[in-house]
């Protein structure tokens, strides 16, 4: 089961254009990342299970669906993935939140793990992993391997911008997950930054550098 969903919604594409603009400041950038998280979350969660409860309208009683159980976990890859979390929590406020800390070594571009705290147990949950950027794919692949080691099975990965190289690697190493991409960009440069991209997502969200 390999499922890749490339977003084409005009609202998402408009907001991504604002993100790309180097003149977009931290405040607007952070708000846009959160909004895109919500819009992409709405799409990615369209297969959440529901169950009927009985509700009384002003006119009569009727069965009507609600989300079944409290079975969602959102797992941002720190730091930049944090920016998308609130948007998804606006949709599902009861979701649990895990955190995986990874940074890319500037020389090798390989991810280095520094933190992992996941909801326990995680086996039964739908897990949405968030990171705005899928570049070489190393961070996403390692984060998803960690989640699988903890027992996670139903995994969705959500990114705003993907490079073809990272998307291919993620599909190859984790063919059993669903992947949601806001926009598929052209390529990586010699420093493994995405072109045209939007620069360093973590720095732009948090105003560092
Ligand atoms: C960025 C980004 C991803 C990773 C993508 O994080 O948020 O996690 O790089 O690159 P990859 O696909 O080649 O692994 P970074 O390491 O810059 O950390 P930060 O979010 O703390 O800034
Ligand atoms: N991480 C980012 O934040 N931006 C890129 O273009 C690549 C990795």
């Amino acid at each position: 089961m390999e499922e890749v969903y490339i977003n084409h919604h005009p609202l998402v594409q408009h907001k991504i254009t604002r993100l790309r603009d180097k003149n977009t400041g931290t405040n607007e950038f952070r708000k846009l990342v959160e909004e895109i998280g919500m819009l992409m979350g709405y799409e990615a969660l369209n297969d959440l299970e529901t169950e009927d409860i009985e509700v009384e309208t002003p006119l009569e009683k009727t069965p009507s669906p609600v989300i079944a159980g409290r079975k969602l976990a959102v797992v941002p890859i720190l730091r930049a993935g944090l920016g998308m979390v609130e948007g998804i929590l606006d949709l599902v406020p009861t979701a649990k939140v895990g955190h995986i800390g990874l940074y890319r070594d500037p020389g090798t571009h390989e991810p280095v793990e520094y933190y992992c705290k996941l909801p326990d147990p995680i086996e039964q949950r739908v897990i949405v992993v968030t990171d705005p950027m899928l570049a070489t794919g190393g961070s996403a692949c390692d984060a998803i391997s960690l989640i699988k080691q903890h027992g996670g099975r139903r995994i969705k990965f959500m990114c705003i911008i993907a490079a073809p190289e990272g998307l291919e690697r993620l599909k190859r190493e984790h063919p059993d997950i669903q992947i949601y991409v806001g926009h598929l960009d052209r390529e990586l440069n010699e420093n493994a930054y995405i072109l045209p991209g939007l620069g360093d997502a973590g720095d732009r969200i948090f105003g560092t550098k």
Side-chain angles (χ1 to χ4, degrees), residues 104 133 135 188 192-194 197-202:
R104 288 203 315 180
M133 309 306 278
L188 295 177
Y193 271 78
I194 300 173
L198 49 74
D200 188 304

Side-chain angles (χ1 to χ4, degrees), residues 77-81 102-104 109 111 114 131-140 192-193 200-203:
I77 302 177
L78 307 181
R79 293 174 298 167
L102 297 173
Y103 70 87
R104 288 203 315 180
H109 309 134
Y114 60 89
D131 194 331
M133 309 306 278
L134 180 66
T136 66
S139 303
Y193 271 78
D200 188 304
D203 282 341

Side-chain angles (χ1 to χ4, degrees), residues 77-82 100-106 108-112 114 130-142 157 161 163 165-167 169 188 191-194 199-206 208-209:
I77 302 177
L78 307 181
R79 293 174 298 167
L82 277 176
I100 292 180
L102 297 173
Y103 70 87
R104 288 203 315 180
D105 180 281
T108 65
H109 309 134
E110 286 299 316
V112 181
Y114 60 89
T130 62
D131 194 331
M133 309 306 278
L134 180 66
T136 66
S139 303
C141 286
D142 280 13
F157 176 79
I161 305 276
E165 297 90 328
L167 184 57
R169 178 170 171 185
L188 295 177
N191 296 318
Y193 271 78
I194 300 173
D200 188 304
D203 282 341
R204 295 196 65 189
I205 290 171
F206 295 106
T208 43
K209 211 176 246 178

Side-chain angles (χ1 to χ4, degrees), residues 7 9 12 34-48 87-92 128 156 158 180:
N7 196 293
H9 197 291
V12 172
E34 184 178 324
E35 288 170 352
I36 294 170
M38 182 168 73
L39 292 169
M40 291 186 68
Y42 176 79
E43 181 201 15
L45 298 176
N46 72 358
D47 57 357
L48 274 190
I88 300 173
L89 291 180
D90 282 345
L91 299 172
V92 188
V128 180
K156 296 168 185 276
M158 196 190 291
Y180 298 84

Side-chain angles (χ1 to χ4, degrees), residues 25-189:
T26 300
N27 196 12
E28 188 188 356
F29 194 93
R30 197 182 286 149
K31 192 161 172 285
L32 287 163
V33 168
E34 184 178 324
E35 288 170 352
I36 294 170
M38 182 168 73
L39 292 169
M40 291 186 68
Y42 176 79
E43 181 201 15
L45 298 176
N46 72 358
D47 57 357
L48 274 190
E49 286 143 32
T50 60
E51 62 192 4
D52 276 357
I53 60 165
E54 190 173 79
V55 64
E56 197 170 348
T57 79
L59 302 176
E60 62 176 24
K61 285 185 179 171
T62 182
S64 193
V66 293
I67 301 298
R70 297 183 176 194
K71 294 274 165 46
L72 187 71
V74 186
V75 180
I77 302 177
L78 307 181
R79 293 174 298 167
L82 277 176
M84 299 168 76
V85 172
E86 283 301 321
I88 300 173
L89 291 180
D90 282 345
L91 299 172
V92 188
T94 55
K96 304 279 193 232
V97 182
H99 296 87
I100 292 180
L102 297 173
Y103 70 87
R104 288 203 315 180
D105 180 281
T108 65
H109 309 134
E110 286 299 316
V112 181
E113 182 195 335
Y114 60 89
Y115 190 77
C116 179
K117 182 81 178 169
L118 298 173
D120 186 19
I122 200 163
E123 288 82 356
Q124 303 301 322
R125 292 184 182 278
V126 174
I127 302 153
V128 180
V129 181
T130 62
D131 194 331
M133 309 306 278
L134 180 66
T136 66
S139 303
C141 286
D142 280 13
I144 290 163
S145 296
L146 264 174
I147 291 169
K148 287 181 175 173
Q149 283 162 24
H150 283 77
R153 290 289 167 264
R154 299 178 61 190
I155 300 171
K156 296 168 185 276
F157 176 79
M158 196 190 291
C159 64
I160 298 178
I161 305 276
E165 297 90 328
L167 184 57
E168 284 312 308
R169 178 170 171 185
L170 187 56
K171 282 161 46 179
R172 193 171 59 247
E173 292 193 19
H174 296 288
D176 53 337
I177 68 166
Q178 293 167 302
I179 304 170
Y180 298 84
V181 176
H183 195 276
L184 184 58
D185 272 18
R186 194 177 70 243
E187 61 185 347
L188 295 177
N189 72 8

